[in-house]
Amino acid sequence: MNNAKDISVVVTTYNNPGFLELVLQALERQRVLPGEVIVADDGSGEETRQLIERHKKLMPVPLVHSWIPDEGFRVAKSRNIAVAKARGSYIILLDGDIVVTPDFVADHLRLMQPGRLVTGSRARLGEKATRRHVAEKNAHMTFWTRGLGRRFVMLHAPWLNGLFSHRDVLRRARSCHMAFFRDDFLAVNGFEERFIGWGYEDSEFVQRLFNHGLHRWNAKLMASAVHLYHKSSPTNRSEENMALLQQTINEHRKRAELGVDQYL
């Protein structure tokens, strides 16, 4: 039987304590708590460290700060190290700009099934509303929150989830809200650290999970979350990273060449 203590929530962050404050608040208010929360920190400074230390006293479950030195965008490495530390058998990945609703972990507990990769949608909070929530340190967001786009994502109707199509496609498969069993993560050797800079590292990871035999399931009308506004991340490695993704597709690769096995 699935148990929420089997769940490790891994949150990525980099020098954005205002956003991380809201993300951690939301996880502290879960109706069903995970076994632990791990912050996969890609080299943040002292302000983030102090924030996490403060929330260690507030979080009802263990809060782990998994920090790596700032060497540029190394989110694949930071996630691999965090998952290597995880004690749970099931991993929920969240980006540090995703604020979840109180039923989030409970819904993922219901969605946990062997052979399944769960991906979730998110509503979008506008720029002005994001600034307001950060300034007020207010992580409370609902269907009626001002400044919310795609607000129908916030509807909660778990009994209707099975009506939606569940296709094994890469489109919109983003690691900002994704869940899978840790054993499957280890089987494909986690994220490919040959990806440098922003772009396609999550799509390549998902493709290897498909090659490994997992099937994608959408968390429609469940596990609602809100994406905080920020400017898009620039990339100067899109061609190189796309080439790595295409290689994985063409060669039906299942394991990362430079992956999590370094840290086990």
Side-chain angles (χ1 to χ4, degrees):
M1 183 175 180
N2 292 336
N3 190 314
K5 292 182 179 179
D6 296 330
I7 295 176
S8 294
V9 179
V10 175
V11 179
T12 60
T13 196
Y14 175 70
N15 278 333
N16 199 334
F19 280 18
L20 186 60
E21 170 74 40
L22 303 190
V23 175
L24 294 179
Q25 277 188 32
L27 290 171
E28 289 160 5
R29 298 170 183 172
Q30 291 299 293
R31 292 194 174 97
V32 175
L33 292 164
E36 64 181 351
V37 175
I38 304 174
V39 178
D41 187 346
D42 194 12
S44 300
E46 179 64 15
E47 189 176 355
T48 294
R49 188 196 68 79
Q50 291 181 6
L51 173 72
I52 293 171
E53 287 301 312
R54 180 166 59 83
H55 275 275
K56 283 182 179 180
K57 301 173 184 177
L58 302 173
M59 187 73 68
V61 298
L63 174 60
V64 178
H65 187 192
S66 176
W67 182 88
I68 63 173
D70 186 356
E71 300 172 342
F73 189 89
R74 293 291 187 272
V75 69
K77 180 177 181 178
S78 68
R79 284 177 176 147
N80 281 345
I81 292 175
V83 175
K85 294 177 179 179
R87 294 180 295 179
S89 61
Y90 194 74
I91 307 296
I92 301 175
L93 287 186
L94 283 177
D95 274 359
D97 55 11
I98 303 293
V99 179
V100 301
T101 51
D103 288 313
F104 183 82
V105 172
D107 283 345
H108 272 287
L109 186 61
R110 297 172 69 172
L111 291 166
M112 284 172 66
Q113 281 193 24
R116 178 182 283 184
L117 164 70
V118 176
T119 58
S121 302
R122 62 239 190 257
R124 298 182 184 276
L125 197 64
E127 182 176 6
K128 185 182 295 186
T130 295
R131 287 201 304 265
R132 182 176 67 251
H133 277 264
V134 170
E136 296 174 356
K137 297 184 178 181
N138 177 13
H140 179 67
M141 299 178 202
T142 71
F143 179 90
W144 304 107
T145 294
R146 284 189 298 151
L148 199 62
R150 300 181 66 206
R151 66 177 64 244
F152 283 95
V153 169
M154 302 295 281
L155 293 176
H156 192 245
W159 56 92
L160 295 176
N161 173 261
L163 297 178
F164 292 89
S165 61
H166 303 281
R167 296 180 296 159
D168 297 338
V169 294
L170 290 179
R171 185 170 178 264
R172 295 180 179 173
R174 299 287 183 265
S175 52
C176 61
H177 177 186
M178 180 182 292
F180 43 79
F181 280 93
R182 186 172 183 269
D183 283 349
D184 291 319
F185 183 88
L186 300 182
V188 301
N189 204 18
F191 283 91
E192 177 58 77
E193 294 183 21
R194 290 183 297 153
F195 281 83
I196 299 174
W198 182 90
Y200 304 115
E201 83 286 337
D202 47 3
S203 296
E204 195 271 345
F205 169 68
V206 170
Q207 182 62 53
R208 282 186 285 109
L209 288 177
F210 289 163
N211 295 346
H212 175 58
L214 265 63
H215 297 286
R216 182 179 172 186
W217 190 273
N218 294 318
K220 293 285 188 182
L221 301 176
M222 299 179 70
S224 302
V226 175
H227 180 259
L228 301 174
Y229 174 86
H230 60 84
K231 293 181 179 179
S232 299
S233 301
T235 178
N236 57 3
R237 291 275 303 181
S238 58
E239 290 186 10
E240 295 92 334
N241 288 354
M242 175 56 83
L244 288 174
L245 168 59
Q246 197 60 52
Q247 185 179 44
T248 293
I249 294 171
N250 294 342
E251 299 177 7
H252 200 71
R253 290 192 173 199
K254 296 181 181 178
R255 287 183 57 82
E257 186 175 308
L258 189 63
V260 69
D261 58 1
Q262 306 168 82
Y263 315 114
L264 299 174

